[in-house]
Amino acid sequence: MDRFVPPPRRTLEPSDELARCLEKPPGETVLLPKALQIGGREFRWARILREFKTKSRARLVQLEPGSVLFIVKFENLFQEFAVMAALKQLNRCWQKTRLCIGQELVQATTFGIFPLGQRLGLVEVVSESCTLRELALGGHFGDRQFRVLRALHEDPRKLERLAASVCAYLASSYALGIRDGHDDNLMLRRDGRLFRVDFGFAFGRTPEIDAPGIFVPNSVAVALGDRWPQVVAGCKRAIRDLGPPERPPAWDVLLKVPELKQLLPEVHEYTNSLSFSSFDYQVEHATDWTLQRAAKNTLREAIRYVTAEQEVEAAEAWWLDPFGFLSSPVAAGHPASQTPHFPRIRPLDN
């Protein structure tokens, strides 16, 4: 009889103990098994603030000392980290060419993404921002198209900044193949910048149900108003600033990103499918209503309803916070028709 050989045991990564520590229920304060070095700072304990009903079982945590907020994801964040590095490279190109909309430099908002192993990673929370879905909470359905304009108080400088950030958002989404667009991963900062979070689908990878790769939500288009032609012209220049016309868009730039080395085969295949004329057409039609995008958001709302994910009551809906992680009652007498509060959160020093 053959001798029984037990199956090999999974090798524990150093991050496994940390993951178990951060999986504690909300409300607990936990001592980290080892001091955590992130972004040049050292953290020794964490407060578990909230658990999300998501596939990754993500949590909002506050790392101490310093009171810095992070999203903990129990999954491999290497691709998101690499995409963020590529996004920073695109920013450097546009900064070098001094690409502007009005007086605002075209730059995509970036933030820290820190892979800590195959099954754990941290995402820095961007201060004074909220999702487009949050902007719609508590208001009348017919007023949804004005949510961005209202949130920015129709401030011309903020709207110009919105235009520049939309240009960066559209050009980078096309160059990097960022997909899975919906109102939960498009965010607006108090200063007017629109930006994407969650880069799990990129370089040709798409979810089963997806929105168009290049789109502008109606509320953003309404806020941009007569600035939209400037955005279209800026986008066409932005994509051409990423490489010579005889080469696939952005390929030469992405070759210079060391973090993309492991992904270069799929990056090359994806960029070979791109063209300047295709991008021009998609940008010109980015504000068009599409059934795919409507279905995407409707399906997410249905799932949220079934799983009882929405925890903020209508009366509280306009007290907004980054990613919808915290909720607090609206101050007495605060009408739902007013603009949302963008909380101040201490950012991670870069």
Side-chain angles (χ1 to χ4, degrees):
M1 179 180 293
D2 294 337
R3 185 171 63 88
F4 172 73
V5 178
R9 301 179 63 181
R10 182 173 66 86
T11 302
L12 293 177
E13 296 183 354
S15 62
D16 288 349
E17 188 177 359
L18 177 61
R20 286 195 296 269
C21 179
L22 296 176
E23 283 179 318
K24 299 294 184 181
E28 289 203 19
T29 298
V30 295
L31 183 66
L32 303 181
K34 183 180 179 181
L36 190 59
Q37 305 285 340
I38 295 290
R41 298 179 64 172
E42 181 176 280
F43 302 102
R44 296 185 176 275
W45 70 91
R47 305 180 196 279
I48 314 299
L49 301 181
R50 183 176 173 186
E51 177 183 354
F52 306 104
K53 295 180 175 67
T54 61
K55 183 178 179 181
S56 65
R57 299 172 294 116
R59 282 162 166 72
L60 175 68
V61 303
Q62 181 174 299
L63 295 186
E64 302 287 358
S67 300
V68 182
L69 293 183
F70 288 93
I71 308 303
V72 178
K73 288 189 173 183
F74 300 98
E75 57 188 40
N76 191 338
L77 293 187
F78 170 74
Q79 176 175 290
E80 293 201 45
F81 168 73
V83 171
M84 181 56 68
L87 199 57
K88 293 176 181 178
Q89 184 66 27
L90 302 190
N91 277 345
R92 285 190 281 270
C93 288
W94 295 324
Q95 187 172 21
K96 184 177 180 180
T97 61
R98 298 299 302 172
L99 177 59
C100 294
I101 301 290
Q103 300 300 313
E104 287 293 328
L105 186 67
V106 170
Q107 293 282 275
T109 297
T110 59
F111 46 91
I113 298 179
F114 306 96
L116 299 178
Q118 293 296 316
R119 291 170 290 276
L120 182 67
L122 298 177
V123 178
E124 180 187 0
V125 171
V126 178
S127 64
E128 298 188 320
S129 61
C130 60
T131 68
L132 291 191
R133 183 182 72 84
E134 290 172 312
L135 285 180
L137 294 176
H140 297 292
F141 181 80
D143 292 336
R144 288 171 61 94
Q145 61 182 324
F146 303 113
R147 52 185 157 158
V148 172
L149 190 64
R150 182 183 293 121
L152 300 181
H153 302 283
E154 302 185 39
D155 184 313
R157 183 63 186 272
K158 292 182 178 180
L159 292 174
E160 190 169 88
R161 196 171 290 128
L162 175 69
S165 66
V166 168
C167 181
Y169 149 69
L170 291 173
S172 61
S173 292
Y174 186 74
L176 304 177
I178 300 170
R179 302 305 295 262
D180 195 29
H182 49 75
D183 283 358
D184 280 312
N185 58 27
L186 266 177
M187 302 196 70
L188 181 71
R189 287 193 65 170
R190 178 196 289 272
D191 63 6
R193 290 181 174 88
L194 184 84
F195 64 100
R196 257 298 297 259
V197 295
D198 192 346
F199 307 112
F201 291 95
F203 304 119
R205 298 181 184 179
T206 62
E208 293 183 5
I209 299 178
D210 197 14
I214 300 299
F215 71 89
V216 174
N218 187 42
S219 59
V220 176
V222 168
L224 290 172
D226 57 10
R227 291 178 176 82
W228 175 242
Q230 290 180 276
V231 174
V232 173
C235 284
K236 293 179 180 180
R237 179 183 164 188
I239 201 70
R240 287 164 174 80
D241 282 349
L242 301 180
E246 67 275 8
R247 303 274 286 172
W251 169 244
D252 287 24
V253 173
L254 299 181
L255 269 176
K256 301 175 183 177
V257 182
E259 293 84 352
L260 285 178
K261 184 176 181 180
Q262 296 182 32
L263 300 174
L264 277 183
E266 60 187 280
V267 172
H268 183 261
E269 182 179 0
Y270 170 73
T271 55
N272 273 337
S273 71
L274 306 181
S275 72
F276 296 111
S277 60
S278 174
F279 177 69
D280 292 350
Y281 177 83
Q282 291 184 52
V283 166
E284 289 168 359
H285 294 272
T287 59
D288 293 353
W289 182 90
T290 65
L291 178 61
Q292 300 100 305
R293 173 163 161 73
K296 179 81 173 180
N297 281 323
T298 300
L299 177 62
R300 289 183 62 82
E301 290 298 330
I303 294 174
R304 182 176 288 110
Y305 178 80
V306 171
T307 60
E309 180 181 343
Q310 185 167 338
E311 299 172 0
V312 182
E313 296 296 331
E316 301 174 340
W318 286 84
W319 180 274
L320 301 179
D321 54 83
F323 296 91
F325 299 139
L326 305 173
S327 62
S328 177
V330 177
H334 188 96
S337 62
Q338 292 183 5
T339 52
H341 168 72
F342 291 83
R344 296 182 181 276
I345 296 176
R346 184 173 180 177
L348 182 70
D349 296 332
N350 291 320

